[in-house]
Amino acid sequence: MFHVGGARSALQNWIYARQHDGVFVLRIEDTDAARNKPEWTEGIISALDWIGIERGSYEGPYYQSSYAADHTAAATRLYGEARAYYCDCKRDDVIARTGNTHIGYDGFCRDRALGPGEGRALRFRTPDVGETVVVDLVRGKPTFENKLLEDFVIARSDGSAVFLLANVVDDMSMGITHVFRAEEHLPNTPKQQLLWEALGATPPVWGHVPVIVNEKRQKLSKRRDKVALESYRDEGYLAAAMRNYLMLLGWAPTGDREIVPWSVVEDEYRIEDVNHAPAFFDIKKLRAFNGEYIRALSPDEFAQVCAPWLTGTETIAAPPWSPEAFDSAVFTAIAPLAQTRIAVLSEIVDYVDFLFLDEPVHDEASWAKAMKEGAADILDATAAAFGALSDWSAEPLKAALEQVGEERGLKLGKTQAPVRVAATGRTIGLPLFESLETLGRDRTLTRLAAARARL
């Protein structure tokens, strides 16, 4: 699944490329067979489509596995130039020699002159002196002492390149000039720069953006947190809201504002203005953002974006009503009332299901709360009052129920509670009288009678 942090980084690279007449490059790192399936690759590409980085507007996707021969050639070159050496040490060997479970590789095989063979990895020989300076548009110029960098593995014993070397070779092949990514990769950067220099090329300009954390200020984890961009899409977050929110994780537009047109983000965003502090992924704030974007839609746009939840798709569950029970005209009539109330589009189902089901789905907690002593009398009186109406519309329905309440010394809120649950199944929902108007006389009276019989 496509991590929201990856989506943020993609947007940041995408905007920078557009601002500087550059090209955004999409590369799929598919060399790990256990983590590579065609449907996962398509998931990444479709998620990028969703947030506005549409296929056809960038270079790629390129696949890292296609460049395996280049990776091997680079490893062979580094070995031939004595910039790398073979090592047969196991982790336990290093611990046994150093007596420290925390220390990195100790350089034991540097001068053993081992050749390639089974169980022997290829390590890059890091310099013993000097410093590696990273040019970082977010963090300035982080500096790393070379003597503190361990000799790191660049190829496995089977000859396949590891992440550090493969990425460098691919970036060189693809002419990459700028790389913006999460700060967790910063420790890898001096190692990658040394590889760039050893291969005779100029490293890219970097930008390491702040890590994204949850409400406990823990780094967002796919094992613990909701991080997949696709899951937010399928829950009913609008692409524009998600895109706007992701860009605020470490950056803000000018003025006292956060919800802004995308054109403003493209115009004002500067990678140099991204701050260093961890960025809190606040789901409550994202929901509020999304609600604002939903309310800004036209009625037609709202009806259109709700469609997947009204019918179901490959990734969105079908609603509880049968397809033939759905009436688009009925939905169109009630949709403006729902538009002001929902924060994510998936909530639309619970707001309108009573209109398309033969019987409402009774929420037991709502039933217990509303159907207390006196509820039977209210339902009887309401059924009689509603049955006598010649005009089945919201205002007469409201007036009739108010009269029922007044006769019993009850306010409208108390009076309408059992009526709402009988008709819609829930204590919370759309305005009651507009709902009853849309539901219709016969179905409303039938549901009032059914609820009364259950008491």
Side-chain angles (χ1 to χ4, degrees):
M1 304 293 277
F2 193 33
H3 195 291
V4 291
R8 178 190 63 168
S9 295
L11 286 169
Q12 290 169 327
N13 284 277
W14 167 256
I15 290 176
Y16 190 88
R18 288 169 63 87
Q19 289 175 337
H20 295 83
D21 296 323
V23 177
F24 178 86
V25 178
L26 174 63
R27 183 171 69 235
I28 305 297
E29 295 174 352
D30 62 339
T31 54
D32 185 343
R35 302 173 66 184
N36 173 47
K37 290 184 179 181
E39 59 267 31
W40 295 346
T41 297
E42 175 56 30
I44 292 171
I45 295 172
S46 65
L48 288 172
D49 281 340
W50 181 62
I51 57 170
I53 304 177
E54 298 177 347
R55 63 190 86 195
S57 65
Y58 50 78
E59 280 194 10
Y62 298 120
Y63 294 87
Q64 192 162 66
S65 57
S66 301
Y67 295 82
D70 294 340
H71 306 157
T72 301
T76 300
R77 173 183 166 184
L78 293 171
Y79 174 65
E81 295 176 355
R83 302 299 300 271
Y85 60 90
Y86 283 97
C87 170
D88 61 1
C89 294
K90 304 294 188 292
R91 182 63 186 155
D92 288 345
D93 298 333
V94 177
I95 295 173
R97 285 195 299 267
T98 64
N100 190 331
T101 59
H102 303 291
I103 198 170
Y105 179 66
D106 60 354
F108 180 78
C109 290
R110 268 192 165 201
D111 301 315
R112 293 178 64 198
L114 297 176
E118 185 176 351
R120 295 178 179 178
L122 186 64
R123 289 183 179 273
F124 182 78
R125 187 188 298 268
T126 59
D128 296 322
V129 296
E131 298 175 332
T132 296
V133 179
V134 174
V135 178
D136 192 308
L137 295 183
V138 176
R139 298 172 186 278
K141 293 185 177 181
T143 300
F144 300 83
E145 290 188 69
N146 291 332
K147 67 180 181 181
L148 299 180
L149 299 175
E150 68 176 5
D151 291 350
F152 54 91
V153 173
I154 58 174
R156 304 174 184 89
S157 60
D158 63 4
S160 62
V162 301
F163 164 82
L164 290 171
L165 179 61
N167 268 26
V168 167
V169 173
D170 291 346
D171 284 353
M172 291 172 59
S173 300
M174 298 173 192
I176 300 301
T177 59
H178 293 72
V179 176
F180 305 144
R181 58 188 185 178
E183 67 175 293
E184 65 199 68
H185 292 288
L186 184 57
N188 291 326
T189 308
K191 299 176 183 179
Q192 290 181 298
Q193 285 205 177
L194 289 171
L195 288 172
W196 275 82
E197 293 161 0
L199 292 169
T202 302
V205 175
W206 309 92
H208 289 89
V209 299
V211 67
I212 302 176
V213 298
N214 62 20
E215 69 278 1
K216 295 181 180 179
R217 296 306 188 267
Q218 300 167 317
K219 176 188 168 186
L220 279 191
S221 166
K222 63 184 179 182
R223 295 176 179 83
R224 178 185 58 238
D225 304 303
K226 180 180 171 182
V227 300
L229 189 67
E230 299 95 319
S231 67
Y232 287 97
R233 177 191 62 194
D234 294 344
E235 189 177 338
Y237 286 85
L238 296 176
M242 177 60 76
R243 187 166 61 173
N244 187 165
Y245 183 72
L246 287 174
M247 289 304 298
L248 297 179
L249 298 175
W251 175 83
T254 58
D256 187 18
R257 55 182 180 165
E258 293 183 310
I259 297 178
V260 294
W262 185 247
S263 59
V264 171
V265 176
E266 286 195 311
D267 181 58
E268 294 191 1
Y269 177 78
R270 297 291 182 273
I271 186 70
E272 297 86 351
D273 294 336
V274 173
N275 63 48
H276 300 186
F280 172 31
F281 193 89
D282 187 343
I283 294 180
K284 291 181 180 178
K285 185 174 182 178
L286 174 59
R287 277 180 57 86
F289 257 59
N290 203 60
E292 291 293 329
Y293 271 87
I294 286 174
R295 287 185 283 280
L297 297 172
S298 71
D300 288 344
E301 289 171 333
F302 177 68
Q304 183 178 357
V305 297
C306 284
W309 288 269
L310 303 175
T311 59
T313 68
E314 289 184 4
T315 58
I316 297 172
W321 55 80
S322 62
E324 58 272 13
F326 180 73
D327 187 327
S328 60
V330 170
F331 177 74
T332 299
I334 206 74
L337 300 176
Q339 186 175 357
T340 61
R341 287 166 170 77
I342 67 173
V344 293
L345 296 175
S346 57
E347 293 172 347
I348 191 65
V349 173
D350 287 346
Y351 274 97
V352 303
D353 61 356
F354 74 96
L355 293 168
F356 308 118
L357 294 169
D358 291 336
E359 299 177 359
V361 177
H362 284 294
D363 173 67
E364 291 306 318
S366 296
W367 180 275
K369 182 178 180 180
M371 299 302 182
K372 297 178 179 178
E373 184 179 354
D377 175 52
I378 291 174
L379 291 175
D380 286 338
T382 301
F386 283 0
L389 292 175
S390 58
D391 180 1
W392 190 268
S393 59
E395 285 304 318
L397 287 165
K398 180 180 180 182
L401 192 58
E402 285 177 330
Q403 181 63 33
V404 169
E406 288 174 3
E407 291 172 354
R408 288 157 180 76
L410 300 174
K411 293 183 178 180
L412 182 59
K414 291 285 187 181
T415 313
Q416 71 178 10
V419 177
R420 176 184 289 279
V421 172
T424 71
R426 300 178 178 88
T427 55
I428 298 174
L430 304 180
L432 175 61
F433 303 106
E434 287 81 355
S435 297
L436 298 179
E437 179 181 342
T438 306
L439 186 62
R441 179 191 299 271
D442 292 344
R443 297 176 75 194
T444 298
L445 294 178
T446 297
R447 291 183 182 188
L448 293 177
R452 174 65 180 87
R454 182 179 168 183
L455 292 174

